[in-house]
Amino acid sequence: MKKFKTYYTLSGILLSAFFLTISCTKDFTELNTNPAGVTDEEAMGDFALVASFLAQAQRAILPENVGEYQASINLTSDAYGGYLAAEAPFVGNANNLTYALVPGWYSSLWVDRYIRAMNPLYRVETLTRADEKMQDIFAFAKVLKVSAMHRTSDKVGPIIYSKYNAPDENDQILYDSQEDAYKNFFKDLDSATTVFKSLKGKEVSAAMKKSDLAYASNNYDQWLKFANTLRLRLALRIVYKDPTLAKAEGEKALNPANGGLMETVGDNCFIKLSTDHPLNIITTTWSDTRMHANIESILGGYEDPRLGKLFAKATDEAVQGQFKGIRSGIEIDAKSRYDNYSKLLPLPNKMQLMVSSEAWFLKAEAALRGWTNAGDAKTNYENGIDRSFEMYGLGAQSSAYKSNSTRKPKPYIDPKAVKAGQNDIKEGSPLLSTITIQWNEADSKDRKLERIITQKWISMFPDGDEAWAEYRRSGYPLVFPVVVNYSNNTIPTVPGIRRMPYPEREYNSNSTAVNDAVKMLGGPDNGGTRLWWDVENKKL
């Protein structure tokens, strides 16, 4: 049996992943067994172990482990993307939210993406690459790998990807630049979609039926649509940096001969979890997160019926009966100050990986850019709203909503601020968007783009990773800046944090490689350095 050099060993992770400075980390569950210790014969037997590898990976793309979810998503992307905010002054209020980045928090994203996703997926790819009967599993692993690792790259920049488990002569695991990582993402999607297209109309294999936690593998079409939609997402992610490559990859995704995109709510991709959704625990058991002020401003200003499907009204006497959010990155003296602002309503025990409404908004932007087979921007935009409303059982209200031309995001007033008025966003502020809902063909392209991205942002909730990535990529929707900035001038208050640093253990165990990665980054390893695709002066 071939032996594999594991990039992150179990013992290394145990030393580095669990030193978060929040009390709830004692509830972390044990890491799963390292799949590199399983023989080929054991893994291939009745597909049970291959299925378990793939289940582990699917549940690590967005971690089901509540401690890791809180540290790597809720206390980073959810806040930076304008979805959720913490009411607790963690670490004396000098934490990620006030730009005093906590190493234990941002290090945690490497646990899921490398140990729990990349490692088992690498193992499955190796086992199935040359097996003609297992090409669907090979393709499935490729799609999951891109799904997981693009999120890692979109948080840090250069990542270990094409050279994973291939140490050089100095025992260093080398990084891909973010540009190269994206090109490799597209190549892996090519491999996967080629396989899935060849399997259209064929009976789904027993291995795939055991492995698929989203669609129960009634056919291969939905994962093909997912892969194409993922390609379109990534194509638009790089559109300001490499418009030629973006257009080529985007048009490949849009070409109906390649299998199509996600279209209906039946195409929505939710990964079944083995436990409760981590946000339910963070919201209720730990009482650590509440609605973000941006949700209050945008959905409240639009009188959006989806708001009541997502959050409960506040019970605090100062704002009782209102949908009330917290502005992230503010002065907080005690958890009790904001604890009774709006709580997230319970989520089902499944993790939202991608929804069909996003596909329609991606198509709307592609149409705005004149890409082949993108269709009409207005039609795509309105279809995106329709699919999102249907997802919440609100289909009957979609028509009136998308025809409203007057509602716009409302000012944010915080009556419980430590210092009166310091958290407010008032009417006329340049930080307050004026974008309305109804499509207006006479608007400029930039204003149309803001309208598309704002509705996409609403529809993707609670996927904070994508919300933050799209804000950095496009500048929309306008996310309220922090009030308190403890970054020592390394992170700009406006337009805000751009990335997360590399974990300390990389400098301890893979130092030459990570220092080379920082050189690829083109700036210091801190939260103020822009990623490769994060262009400052954007031109549509």
Side-chain angles (χ1 to χ4, degrees), residues 371-441:
W371 290 2
T372 302
N373 291 314
D376 173 69
K378 176 179 183 291
T379 301
N380 294 335
Y381 170 79
E382 293 183 344
N383 280 336
I385 293 174
D386 289 342
R387 297 298 86 74
S388 183
F389 271 62
E390 288 172 16
M391 179 175 156
Y392 293 104
L394 297 168
Q397 300 183 49
S398 179
S399 179
Y401 177 87
K402 64 190 181 186
S403 65
N404 190 286
S405 62
T406 58
R407 294 177 193 147
K408 58 185 180 180
K410 67 176 185 176
Y412 173 75
I413 306 298
D414 182 3
K416 299 200 70 178
V418 173
K419 296 176 184 176
Q422 69 176 347
N423 301 333
D424 296 353
I425 303 289
K426 297 182 179 179
E427 188 73 50
S429 167
L431 302 174
L432 185 65
S433 173
T434 60
I435 199 68
T436 51
I437 302 167
Q438 187 180 49
W439 187 264
N440 184 355
E441 204 58 57

Side-chain angles (χ1 to χ4, degrees), residues 154-184:
D154 290 344
K155 278 189 171 176
V156 301
I159 58 169
I160 293 166
Y161 191 77
S162 66
K163 301 174 183 68
Y164 179 79
N165 271 6
D168 67 8
E169 63 276 8
N170 297 313
D171 207 34
Q172 296 285 290
I173 310 292
L174 303 181
Y175 285 65
D176 291 351
S177 68
Q178 189 169 49
E179 179 180 7
D180 286 343
Y182 262 73
K183 289 177 179 177
N184 284 316

